[in-house]
Amino acid sequence: ATFTPPKAIRGGIPVLFPQYANTGPLPSHGFARNRFWTIDNNPSPDIPEIPNGVSVDFLLKSTDEDLKIWPHSFEFRSRVTLTSDGDLILASCIRNIDAAGKPFTFTFGHHPYFKVSDISNVEVKGMAKLDYLDQTQNRTRFTENKDTITFNINSRFDRIYLSTPDKIKILDHGNKRTFVVQKDGFPDAVVWNPGEERAKTIEDLGEGEYRYFVAVEPVVVEKPVTLNPGEKWNARMELSTRC
């Protein structure tokens, strides 16, 4: 990965706010993933407590730099929790604190990268019969006709599935392991792997590394969120691994 700002760090779980990809006028995936967050030592009750775990709270507020490209004052709180069962939970709360009384609209997402044995041994379940926007074809709308998503190592896979279930499973047959993505507040989900040719154009991917991850991303894309001053929006993603 490249760790030099303003380059986004590839890996982990990037936060996509206030724009998913290039769906608006901002740089791709917005600016939150490129900012330094502060630890919030006085957690807000806007995010419910999560039992049986240890948490750290982060806070991001709009800066003068942000206001130049997105003129809206916001407060973004994120609680990261590791439970006693080994599950990872990201709970988010975004509030409009605009003193001028202006509403704002945003799209949002998390972009987790899941390490797998080989993309050819992976299946994603939960998308059967759903409509999706194919990002390899200018977001043309189609309907998924397969019960299980599989991948061709030579082809880019990049789809926004719409009105998805709250639970999505990633089956890694090579490692005999299943990832479970549980989500609340995220109506949509992206499934992505760059494939061989596209991976060659990504400078912070090593040769052949595209084969060893898949991204399954809880997102809000089709129907953006609008907040009036004082209003808040909450969402939650929970990741677990079962062998």
Side-chain angles (χ1 to χ4, degrees), residues 52 82-88 240-242:
N52 303 319
L82 184 65
T83 73
S84 56
D85 294 327
D87 298 341
L88 182 66
S240 59
T241 306
R242 301 291 180 260

Side-chain angles (χ1 to χ4, degrees), residues 34-231:
N34 296 333
R35 297 293 184 261
F36 286 103
W37 295 53
T38 59
I39 293 178
D40 187 2
N41 292 314
N42 297 293
S44 167
D46 285 344
I47 299 179
E49 290 289 337
I50 299 172
N52 303 319
V54 291
S55 301
V56 61
D57 287 81
F58 296 96
L59 177 63
L60 181 70
K61 291 186 176 182
S62 45
T63 65
D64 291 342
E65 182 181 358
D66 299 332
L67 291 169
K68 291 177 183 177
I69 60 174
W70 199 64
H72 305 290
S73 296
F74 67 89
E75 196 173 69
F76 187 161
R77 297 180 184 275
S78 177
R79 177 171 296 156
V80 181
T81 302
L82 184 65
T83 73
S84 56
D85 294 327
D87 298 341
L88 182 66
I89 301 171
L90 272 68
S92 301
C93 180
I94 297 170
R95 183 181 290 275
N96 183 341
I97 58 171
D98 196 300
K102 296 186 299 182
F104 61 68
T105 299
F106 62 91
T107 50
F108 182 86
H110 287 306
H111 196 318
Y113 290 71
F114 296 93
K115 182 177 174 62
V116 297
S117 58
D118 191 282
I119 194 65
S120 63
N121 293 326
V122 169
E123 296 179 319
V124 177
K125 291 184 175 292
M127 309 301 192
K129 313 305 180 186
L130 297 182
D131 285 359
Y132 65 87
L133 308 179
D134 192 330
Q135 301 199 97
T136 70
Q137 300 187 51
N138 298 313
R139 298 199 177 102
T140 301
R141 192 177 187 119
F142 298 96
T143 300
E144 181 59 68
N145 57 15
K146 296 191 295 184
D147 292 333
T148 301
I149 295 171
T150 56
F151 302 88
N152 182 333
I153 63 172
N154 298 315
S155 301
R156 174 187 168 202
F157 194 103
D158 195 353
R159 299 176 180 176
I160 306 171
Y161 286 87
L162 309 174
S163 301
T164 57
D166 291 337
K167 182 181 290 187
I168 300 169
K169 293 184 178 181
I170 305 164
L171 281 63
D172 179 3
H173 297 293
N175 284 330
K176 297 181 180 179
R177 179 169 62 185
T178 298
F179 297 103
V180 180
V181 182
Q182 184 86 25
K183 57 190 181 65
D184 181 34
F186 295 98
D188 310 316
V190 172
V191 180
W192 175 68
N193 180 274
E196 183 177 19
E197 290 305 313
R198 185 62 176 264
K200 291 177 181 178
T201 69
I202 301 175
E203 62 181 16
D204 46 6
L205 275 183
E207 183 177 356
E209 286 185 339
Y210 74 96
R211 297 186 62 157
Y212 307 115
F213 77 85
V214 63
V216 176
E217 314 162 31
V219 297
V220 181
V221 176
E222 185 183 30
K223 298 178 180 178
V225 177
T226 297
L227 293 180
N228 291 311
E231 290 184 337

